C-alpha cells in the first residue's frame, strides 16, 4: 500500500508543475476562440470573430509589424556583435576576458525600469528619444547579454584543433570559417537569434519608456489597452496566434536540427 | 649524399618570454625517411612539429622542403599532412566527407575525389563504405580516419603528433606496426613526435632525441641504443632504460661508489676510465640486459634485491647497489640466486662512462 502511494507522488508532482507552467497558455488559446465581448474562460460559444478583428485592426497590425521588424534587426545586430565578441574572447584568450564577460552581462544587473529611465535622460540630451535608431540601440543592448552568453559557450565548445586541421588540409581562413567554424556554430547562432528576438519582441518596460508615439510595439499596445479598456479579446486572439507561431517555429527547428545531425 | 636533404631545418628558435622552447635547432631529413622526435614533456618536440606545419611561427631560422623555403608559408600552402593527437575529425561531417576535405580544398571533384577517398580508406584498413559520423567510431577507427584524411591529399610530408598515446596497450602495438607498414607502402617522408622511446625505436629510421629545446643525438635506433652520446640519452633509451651508476674516479685500480665504497678495477671494465682525473664524478651506463645476478664471484657489485617483476619471458630484478637503485633484466628461465644479498656482474661488453656534470660520454684515451 505504501509503495503505491509514493509511486504516484512523483508523476503527480510533475503533472502539477507542468500544468502550472502551461495553464496560462492553454487559457489563452482556448479563450481566443470565445465569441463573447469580453475575455472569459472557459469559452462559452466558439467563434473566430476575434481573429478576424485582429487582422482587420490597423493599430494592432502596425504594432505587430513594428515588433517583428525591431526584433529581427535588433537580434541580427546583437548576434553579430555577440559572435565577434565571443570569437575574440574565446580564441584570443586575453587577460581581460573575465572583465569583458561581466561587462557584456551588465544590462541585466539593473532592473530594466531603472536602466530605461537613465537611458531616457541620456537620449533626451542627445536627441535620440522617440527615434527608431534610439529604440533599436536600446533593444540591441538588452538582447546582447543573452546572445553573448550563448555565443561564448558555443564557440568555446568548438575544438580549436579542428581549425588547425582544416588549415593543414589546405583551407584558407575563409574556407575554415565557411566549412568548419560556421557549421559548428550554427546551432548557437540560431538559438541566440531566437532568444534575442523573443526578448526584444516581448519587451514592455524599455519600449514604453524609450519609444515615442511613432514606434509602438505590440506588447506595449496590448499593455496600454489593458490599462485603459481591460482585456481586449483581440489581444487574446493575437497572443494565441503568436504562441502557435512560436511553437511551430520551435518544432520545425528541432526537426531540422535532428535531420542535420 | 648528393643534393640537399628533403627537409632542412636550420637554426629554428622559439621563445616564450623568458622561456626558450627551441634553441637554434638544426635537422636534416632525407626523402622517404621515417624520423621520430623523441623526448620528455617540454623538450620542444611538439613546438617543432607545429612550426613545421606552419601553425606556429618560428622566431628565427629557416625551413626548406623539397628544395624550396617554406618558413613563411601559411599552413594551407605547405602541402603537409598532419595527424593530431586527438585526431581532430570534423564532427559535423561523415567519415568520407572528412577524408575528402583536403581533396575539396584542392578542387578535386566527383569521381576522382571519391576514388582517392576509397584509396586512402583502404590504405588504413577501413571499409570504404563507412558512412558513419566520427563520434560513432572507436578510438582506433577514428585514428585511422585521421591518417586517411592526411594521406588522401598525397602530402609532401606527413607529421604525426603522438599518434599512439591515446590508444590502449594492445591497440598501440598493432597500430605501431601498421604505421610502419603504411610508411613502407606510401614512401611519404614522415616525422613523428613521441615521448615513448619503445615506439620510436620500433618504427623510426632515425631518432632525434631532444631535451630542453636542444637536439642531443640524431641517429638510427640501434646506434642510439649502443652508443648513446650523453647520459641523458642512455638513461632514456631502452626498455627499461639504462641504469646509471654514480662513481667517482679514484686510483687506476679502484673507483669509489656513492658512499665511499670501493669497487673492482673499473679500468679493466672500461677503457675510457684510464684518462679520467681523480675525483671526477661519473656515471656508468649498465644496461639491465647486460647485467648478471649471481650469488658468488670475484669483483661483483654487491647488491640487495628489493623487488622482482615478471614480464612474460623475462624478469626485472630491482636492486639497491652502490647507493643507487638499479634494474636487471634476465630471462625468467634462469634461476635466481637466494637473495636478498647478491652480486651483479656486467657482461663482457665494456659499459660506457659519462661525465656526471656535463653528461658527455667519456672516450677512451688509449688507442
Amino acid at each position: 500500500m505504501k509503495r503505491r502511494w509514493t509511486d504516484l507522488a512523483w508523476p503527480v508532482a510533475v503533472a502539477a508543475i507542468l500544468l502550472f507552467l502551461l495553464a496560462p497558455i492553454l487559457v489563452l488559446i482556448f479563450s481566443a476562440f470565445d465569441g463573447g465581448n469580453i475575455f472569459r474562460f472557459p469559452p462559452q460559444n466558439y467563434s473566430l470573430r476575434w481573429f478576424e478583428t485582429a487582422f482587420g485592426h490597423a493599430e494592432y497590425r502596425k504594432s505587430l509589424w513594428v515588433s517583428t521588424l525591431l526584433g529581427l534587426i535588433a537580434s541580427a545586430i546583437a548576434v553579430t556583435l555577440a559572435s565577434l565578441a565571443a570569437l575574440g574572447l574565446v580564441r584570443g584568450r586575453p587577460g581581460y576576458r573575465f572583465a569583458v564577460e561581466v561587462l557584456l552581462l551588465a544590462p541585466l544587473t539593473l532592473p530594466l525600469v531603472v536602466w530605461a529611465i537613465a537611458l531616457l535622460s541620456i537620449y533626451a540630451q542627445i536627441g535620440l528619444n522617440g527615434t527608431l535608431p534610439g529604440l533599436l540601440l536600446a533593444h540591441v543592448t538588452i538582447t546582447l547579454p543573452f546572445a553573448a552568453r550563448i555565443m561564448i559557450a558555443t564557440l568555446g565548445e568548438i575544438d580549436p584543433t579542428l581549425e588547425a586541421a582544416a588549415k593543414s588540409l589546405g583551407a584558407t581562413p575563409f574556407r575554415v570559417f565557411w566549412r568548419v567554424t560556421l557549421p559548428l556554430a550554427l546551432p548557437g547562432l540560431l538559438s541566440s537569434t531566437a532568444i534575442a528576438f523573443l526578448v526584444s519582441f516581448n519587451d514592455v518596460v524599455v519600449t514604453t519608456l524609450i519609444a515615442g508615439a511613432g514606434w509602438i510595439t505590440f506588447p506595449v499596445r496590448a499593455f496600454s489597452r489593458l490599462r485603459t479598456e481591460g482585456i481586449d479579446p483581440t489581444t487574446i486572439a493575437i497572443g494565441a496566434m503568436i504562441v502557435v507561431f512560436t511553437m511551430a517555429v520551435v518544432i520545425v527547428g528541432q526537426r531540422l536540427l535532428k535531420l542535420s545531425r | 649524399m648528393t643534393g640537399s636533404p628533403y627537409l632542412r631545418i636550420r637554426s629554428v628558435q622559439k621563445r616564450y618570454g623568458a622561456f626558450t622552447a627551441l634553441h637554434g635547432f638544426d635537422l636534416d631529413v632525407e626523402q622517404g625517411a621515417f624520423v621520430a622526435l623523441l623526448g620528455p614533456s617540454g623538450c620542444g618536440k611538439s613546438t617543432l612539429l607545429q612550426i613545421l606545419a606552419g601553425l606556429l611561427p618560428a622566431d628565427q631560422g629557416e625551413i626548406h622542403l623539397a628544395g624550396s623555403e617554406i618558413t613563411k608559408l601559411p599552413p594551407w600552402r605547405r602541402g603537409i599532412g598532419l595527424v593530431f593527437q586527438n585526431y581532430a575529425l570534423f564532427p559535423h561531417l561523415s567519415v568520407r566527407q572528412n577524408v575528402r576535405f583536403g581533396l575539396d580544398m584542392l578542387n578535386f571533384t566527383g569521381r576522382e575525389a571519391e576514388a582517392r577517398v576509397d584509396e586512402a580508406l583502404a590504405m588504413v584498413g577501413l571499409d570504404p563504405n563507412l558512412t558513419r559520423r566520427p563520434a560513432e567510431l572507436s578510438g582506433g577507427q577514428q585514428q585511422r580516419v585521421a591518417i586517411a584524411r592526411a594521406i588522401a591529399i598525397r602530402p609532401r610530408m606527413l607529421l604525426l603528433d603522438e599518434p599512439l598515446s591515446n590508444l590502449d596497450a594492445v591497440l598501440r602495438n598493432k597500430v605501431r606496426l601498421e604505421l610502419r607498414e603504411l610508411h613502407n607502402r606510401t614512401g611519404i617522408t614522415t616525422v613523428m613526435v613521441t615521448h615513448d622511446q619503445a615506439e620510436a625505436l620500433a618504427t623510426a629510421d632515425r631518432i632525434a632525441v631532444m631535451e630542453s629545446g636542444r637536439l642531443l643525438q640524431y641517429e638510427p635506433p640501434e646506434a642510439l641504443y649502443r652508443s648513446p652520446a650523453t647520459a641523458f640519452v642512455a638513461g632514456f633509451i631502452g626498455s627499461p632504460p639504462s641504469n646509471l651508476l654514480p662513481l667517482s674516479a679514484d686510483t687506476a685500480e679502484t673507483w669509489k661508489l656513492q658512499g665511499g665504497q670501493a669497487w673492482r678495477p673499473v679500468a679493466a671494465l672500461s677503457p675510457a676510465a684510464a684518462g679520467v682525473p681523480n675525483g671526477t664524478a661519473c656515471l656508468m651506463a649498465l644496461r639491465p640486459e647486460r647485467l648478471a645476478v649471481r650469488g658468488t664471484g670475484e669483483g661483483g657489485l654487491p647488491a640487495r634485491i628489493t623487488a622482482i617483476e615478471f614480464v612474460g619471458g623475462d624478469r626485472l630484478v630491482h636492486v639497491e647497489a652502490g647507493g643507487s637503485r638499479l634494474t636487471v633484466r634476465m630471462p625468467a628461465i634462469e634461476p635466481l640466486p637466494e637473495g636478498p644479498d647478491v652480486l651483479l656482474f656486467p657482461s663482457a661488453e665494456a659499459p660506457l662512462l659519462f661525465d656526471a656534470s656535463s653528461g658527455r660520454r667519456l672516450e677512451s684515451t688509449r688507442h
Side-chain angles (χ1 to χ4, degrees):
Chain A
M1 274 306 135
K2 216 179 195 174
R3 221 183 63 209
R4 217 179 284 166
W5 176 82
T6 46
D7 273 348
L8 272 179
W10 180 243
V12 166
V14 171
I17 294 172
L18 280 177
L19 197 63
F20 182 73
L21 290 175
L22 295 177
I25 298 180
L26 291 172
V27 166
L28 180 73
I29 296 183
F30 278 113
S31 53
F33 290 97
D34 179 57
N37 285 333
I38 53 165
F39 166 57
R40 61 175 178 209
F41 184 80
Q44 263 144 48
N45 51 320
Y46 288 93
S47 123
L48 289 177
R49 93 184 240 220
W50 296 113
F51 290 96
E52 285 173 39
T53 320
F55 284 115
H57 207 301
E59 260 182 22
Y60 276 123
R61 274 214 317 269
K62 185 175 178 221
S63 68
L64 272 175
W65 173 239
V66 170
S67 278
T68 310
L69 197 64
L70 194 57
L72 287 175
I73 301 178
S75 59
I77 297 175
V79 169
T80 308
L81 289 176
S83 303
L84 292 173
L87 263 176
L89 290 175
V90 172
R91 290 280 174 269
R93 273 188 288 157
Y96 47 80
R97 173 174 169 167
F98 183 65
V100 173
E101 282 192 40
V102 169
L103 266 179
L104 283 172
L105 282 177
L108 296 178
T109 58
L110 281 177
L112 274 180
V113 163
V114 175
W115 179 79
I117 293 173
L119 190 65
L120 188 61
S121 58
I122 295 175
Y123 275 7
Q125 303 265 344
I126 56 179
L128 268 181
N129 52 319
T131 64
L132 184 59
L135 186 57
L136 194 57
L137 213 55
H139 273 235
V140 169
T141 313
I142 58 173
T143 56
L144 189 58
F146 299 97
R149 285 269 85 224
I150 294 178
M151 289 318 295
I152 289 174
T154 305
L155 288 182
E157 266 171 24
I158 301 179
D159 182 3
T161 54
L162 292 177
E163 289 164 12
K167 285 185 194 162
S168 75
L169 291 164
T172 56
F174 174 72
R175 287 182 107 168
V176 172
F177 174 75
W178 188 247
R179 291 215 45 191
V180 178
T181 319
L182 189 59
L184 289 173
L186 202 58
L189 285 171
L190 290 175
S191 59
S192 57
T193 308
I195 298 223
F197 180 83
L198 286 175
V199 169
S200 161
F201 193 92
N202 289 330
D203 170 70
V204 171
V205 174
V206 174
T207 315
T208 306
L209 290 170
I210 302 286
W215 300 106
I216 303 203
T217 61
F218 174 71
V220 170
R221 164 77 60 201
F223 195 63
S224 70
R225 272 294 188 122
L226 178 71
R227 287 162 67 225
T228 55
E229 300 168 21
I231 301 175
D232 177 358
T234 322
T235 316
I236 306 293
I238 298 180
M241 286 195 282
I242 292 177
V243 167
V244 172
F245 176 70
T246 311
M247 275 179 26
V249 167
V250 167
I251 292 174
V252 169
Q254 277 287 88
R255 309 238 73 200
L256 280 179
L257 278 178
K258 268 216 180 98
L259 286 174
S260 71
R261 287 242 174 280
Chain B
M1 193 168 28
T2 52
S4 53
Y6 190 69
L7 173 68
R8 218 175 64 194
I9 302 171
R10 282 285 173 276
S11 309
V12 165
Q13 190 177 63
K14 182 71 188 173
R15 260 198 299 257
Y16 293 100
F19 172 69
T20 309
L22 287 170
H23 299 260
F25 205 90
D26 293 328
L27 198 73
D28 287 343
V29 178
E30 278 172 37
Q31 183 162 20
F34 191 131
V35 167
L37 299 179
L38 174 67
S41 305
C43 69
K45 56 194 193 291
S46 292
T47 308
L48 184 59
L49 200 76
Q50 301 251 306
I51 291 176
L52 283 177
L55 297 170
L56 206 61
D59 297 331
Q60 273 175 43
E62 287 177 8
I63 302 171
H64 293 254
L65 184 62
S68 52
E69 183 175 354
I70 62 169
T71 324
K72 297 279 186 270
L73 275 187
W76 52 89
R77 302 241 297 270
R78 293 194 183 200
I80 297 178
L82 197 44
V83 180
F84 294 81
Q85 191 174 358
N86 67 350
Y87 318 137
L89 297 178
F90 305 123
H92 60 296
L93 300 177
S94 71
V95 166
R96 286 190 72 93
Q97 286 171 326
N98 260 279
V99 177
R100 214 191 131 136
F101 192 89
L103 299 168
D104 293 339
M105 296 299 120
L106 291 169
N107 297 319
F108 276 75
T109 52
R111 250 182 316 172
E112 214 193 329
E114 292 300 317
R116 290 269 222 132
V117 169
D118 287 334
E119 179 190 67
L121 285 173
M123 276 233 238
V124 296
L126 282 176
D127 177 7
N129 296 321
L130 214 52
T131 51
R132 305 221 204 108
R133 288 285 162 101
E136 298 163 33
L137 301 176
S138 70
Q141 287 174 312
Q142 286 184 6
Q143 196 207 42
R144 286 166 204 262
V145 175
I147 296 173
R149 184 177 69 177
I151 64 176
I153 59 174
R154 301 210 185 135
R156 302 196 285 177
M157 184 165 68
L158 186 63
L159 301 178
L160 305 167
D161 191 0
E162 312 250 13
L164 306 182
S165 58
N166 285 350
L167 303 173
D168 63 69
V170 172
L171 210 48
R172 208 177 289 177
N173 289 334
K174 182 164 180 272
V175 176
R176 200 169 81 183
L177 187 56
E178 286 177 10
L179 275 178
R180 182 73 222 188
E181 287 173 345
L182 183 67
H183 172 261
N184 291 345
R185 262 180 288 145
T186 59
I188 302 179
T189 310
T190 306
V191 177
M192 175 175 84
V193 159
T194 179
H195 60 272
D196 183 340
Q197 52 87 33
E199 198 177 292
L201 287 179
T203 49
D205 295 323
R206 283 184 95 179
I207 303 175
V209 183
M210 294 173 62
E211 208 238 334
S212 301
R214 292 196 161 87
L215 178 65
L216 296 181
Q217 197 172 355
Y218 180 43
E219 284 192 88
E222 296 203 23
L224 277 171
Y225 176 81
R226 289 227 176 74
S227 331
T230 71
F232 176 85
V233 177
F236 194 78
I237 305 273
S239 307
S242 181
N243 296 303
L244 292 170
L245 183 68
L247 292 168
S248 65
D250 202 38
T251 69
E253 290 303 302
T254 55
W255 280 31
K256 292 218 173 89
L257 299 164
Q258 237 170 28
Q261 241 184 314
W263 190 31
R264 78 183 258 176
V266 176
L269 257 187
S270 178
V276 181
N278 259 12
T280 316
C282 299
L283 292 165
M284 178 178 276
L286 295 165
R287 287 227 168 260
E289 49 276 7
R290 298 269 181 276
L291 285 170
V293 182
R294 293 193 204 121
T296 55
E298 274 284 320
L301 180 65
R304 166 173 275 255
I305 298 180
T306 56
I308 303 176
E309 283 181 285
F310 179 66
V311 288
D314 287 342
R315 262 201 279 259
L316 296 180
V317 182
H318 301 279
V319 302
E320 257 170 33
S324 311
R325 299 165 76 108
L326 308 180
T327 305
V328 179
R329 187 181 190 115
M330 51 190 285
I333 217 163
E334 268 177 36
L336 205 56
E338 281 285 318
D341 292 304
V342 292
L343 294 168
L344 298 186
F345 293 86
S347 68
E349 202 176 281
L352 299 172
L353 276 178
F354 299 87
D355 182 288
S357 47
S358 71
R360 259 180 322 113
R361 193 168 75 212
L362 298 171
E363 298 297 343
S364 165
T365 50
R366 259 190 276 147
H367 289 286

